[in-house]
Amino acid sequence: MKTVKTFSELRVARSKLAEPVGLVPTMGYLHEGHLSLARRARQECTSLIATIFINPTQFGPGEDLSTYPRDIPRDLELLEKEGVDLVWIPNAIDMYPLGFQSWVRVSELTQPLEGARRPEHFRGVTTVVTKLFNATMPQKAYFGQKDAQQAAVIRRMVSDLNYHIQIVVCPTVREPDGLAMSSRNTYLDKDERRAAAVLYRALNTAQDAYLKGERDPNILRSLMNAELISEPFARPQYVSCAHPDTLMEHFGRVEDGALLSMAVYIGGTRLIDNILLEE
Ligand code: PAJ
């Protein structure tokens, strides 16, 4: 496995890879969720590139950029075990040199949900992913359903900008109690960690009601909220029942495939989770 930092090192290393090339973009501090993307990519592609970059432009003021967990030596060990061929760890100053002023923005899809609470977050994501795509030129790129809106936004961007890249969205990997794996779970203390299982419980409460025939999105949202506020450590920021592609809130009858999603503070840590409703 080769590790590179600069754009010129990457260009040389990329030119030696056999096609098709798969890309797994990450911010590091890897867990089984990230590794599941690498495994899927390993099966489907001849060569595999992973990137580790804590992208400063997708963090808002007061968010956790400075405390975001990092452990590059451990990440490299894990990626090597998954058979990754090339790891690119760019520097922020190379990615965003002095005078940087060109941005990629997806308009409507970034307005609701995470976009409404984290202004400029998706502008940072789409800009950096564009730069990662341009530099690594993959045939396929792998993202997690864990960040459902991010996946929808990137799909839209790839289609709108005519990238010839297949976006593969992989299922959310969870801890045994249902908590979606996330680098940010390390912020939770013991009590908060126990409390954090409430997100998945809330999603399942709504899924169970749906299975029993409940089709009213307001009732599904209320059920999720009720479960969340039964946990003293949890402060829900939003719960949503929306169309999985347009992300528009459902008002009438809910159908199969609807996206249930939420952002919840557990103590000081903001967690997100989602499921797609299924019959
Ligand atoms: P990061 O949070 O490191 O996540 C990298 C990829 O792993 C994303 O596609 C994310 O959806 C996926 N992922 C995270 N937790 C997962 C889980 N429990 N199960 C399955 N997949 C999971 O998302 C980002 O980084 C950044 O926004 C990035 C796309 C790298 C752009 O900076």
Side-chain angles (χ1 to χ4, degrees), residues 25-28 31 33-34 36-37 53 55 58 68 125 128-129 142-147 150 170-173 180-183:
T26 82
M27 299 202 298
H31 50 66
H34 299 114
S36 73
L37 308 185
F53 181 58
N55 175 36
Q58 69 186 75
Y68 197 85
V125 170
V128 84
V129 170
Y142 295 80
F143 293 88
Q145 176 64 26
K146 160 80 186 352
D147 300 284
Q150 172 170 278
C170 303
T172 303
V173 178
M181 291 197 179
S182 163
S183 309

Side-chain angles (χ1 to χ4, degrees), residues 9 100 146 149 184:
E9 285 172 326
F100 183 90
K146 160 80 186 352
Q149 188 173 15
R184 291 189 167 101

Side-chain angles (χ1 to χ4, degrees), residues 114-156:
E114 289 301 288
R117 280 86 194 176
R118 305 183 68 191
E120 309 299 3
H121 167 68
F122 285 115
R123 181 185 78 153
V125 170
T126 45
T127 300
V128 84
V129 170
T130 295
K131 289 165 72 78
L132 298 174
F133 283 176
N134 291 345
T136 61
M137 297 181 294
Q139 277 72 32
K140 291 187 171 198
Y142 295 80
F143 293 88
Q145 176 64 26
K146 160 80 186 352
D147 300 284
Q149 188 173 15
Q150 172 170 278
V153 165
I154 286 168
R155 276 207 166 116
R156 184 76 247 170

Side-chain angles (χ1 to χ4, degrees), residues 36-270:
S36 73
L37 308 185
R39 258 167 235 152
R40 172 87 174 265
R42 186 65 283 170
Q43 286 168 5
E44 298 182 354
C45 305
T46 306
S47 308
L48 182 45
I49 305 179
T51 62
I52 303 174
F53 181 58
I54 302 178
N55 175 36
T57 63
Q58 69 186 75
F59 289 79
E63 289 187 1
D64 56 343
L65 173 61
S66 60
T67 54
Y68 197 85
R70 37 201 106 194
D71 188 346
I72 297 279
R74 179 172 165 277
D75 289 347
L76 291 177
E77 243 174 65
L78 292 169
L79 292 174
E80 174 124 55
K81 278 195 200 129
E82 298 305 334
V84 171
D85 299 290
L86 177 59
V87 184
W88 182 29
I89 312 178
N91 285 319
I93 191 68
D94 292 335
M95 196 59 98
Y96 300 108
L98 213 63
F100 183 90
Q101 52 189 287
S102 304
W103 300 94
V104 177
R105 188 190 281 282
V106 172
S107 48
E108 281 103 47
L109 271 183
T110 62
Q111 296 306 305
L113 306 177
E114 289 301 288
R117 280 86 194 176
R118 305 183 68 191
E120 309 299 3
H121 167 68
F122 285 115
R123 181 185 78 153
V125 170
T126 45
T127 300
V128 84
V129 170
T130 295
K131 289 165 72 78
L132 298 174
F133 283 176
N134 291 345
T136 61
M137 297 181 294
Q139 277 72 32
K140 291 187 171 198
Y142 295 80
F143 293 88
Q145 176 64 26
K146 160 80 186 352
D147 300 284
Q149 188 173 15
Q150 172 170 278
V153 165
I154 286 168
R155 276 207 166 116
R156 184 76 247 170
M157 178 186 89
V158 161
S159 160
D160 289 350
L161 300 184
N162 309 98
Y163 275 111
H164 199 60
I165 300 174
Q166 189 188 331
I167 301 301
V168 181
V169 179
C170 303
T172 303
V173 178
R174 299 179 179 282
E175 301 284 358
D177 67 353
L179 175 64
M181 291 197 179
S182 163
S183 309
R184 291 189 167 101
N185 293 349
T186 51
Y187 298 150
L188 303 169
D189 70 20
K190 199 158 160 281
D191 291 335
E192 292 167 347
R193 171 62 192 81
R194 182 193 40 74
V198 75
L199 279 80
Y200 191 53
R201 275 209 306 281
L203 291 166
N204 275 323
T205 303
Q207 167 69 67
D208 287 348
Y210 181 76
L211 280 179
K212 290 190 186 119
E214 184 56 69
R215 292 296 182 272
D216 180 340
N218 280 326
I219 294 186
L220 295 177
R221 288 184 205 101
S222 304
L223 285 169
M224 289 192 280
N225 245 323
E227 183 67 36
L228 290 171
I229 61 178
S230 75
E231 168 50 64
F233 281 94
R235 276 180 298 125
Q237 190 178 39
Y238 67 81
V239 298
S240 158
C241 173
H243 189 280
D245 302 320
T246 65
L247 307 180
M248 303 258 277
E249 282 303 311
H250 282 308
F251 291 110
R253 216 181 131 76
V254 177
E255 282 170 26
D256 245 31
L259 176 70
L260 298 182
S261 66
M262 55 180 56
V264 181
Y265 279 96
I266 302 287
T269 303
R270 186 176 183 279

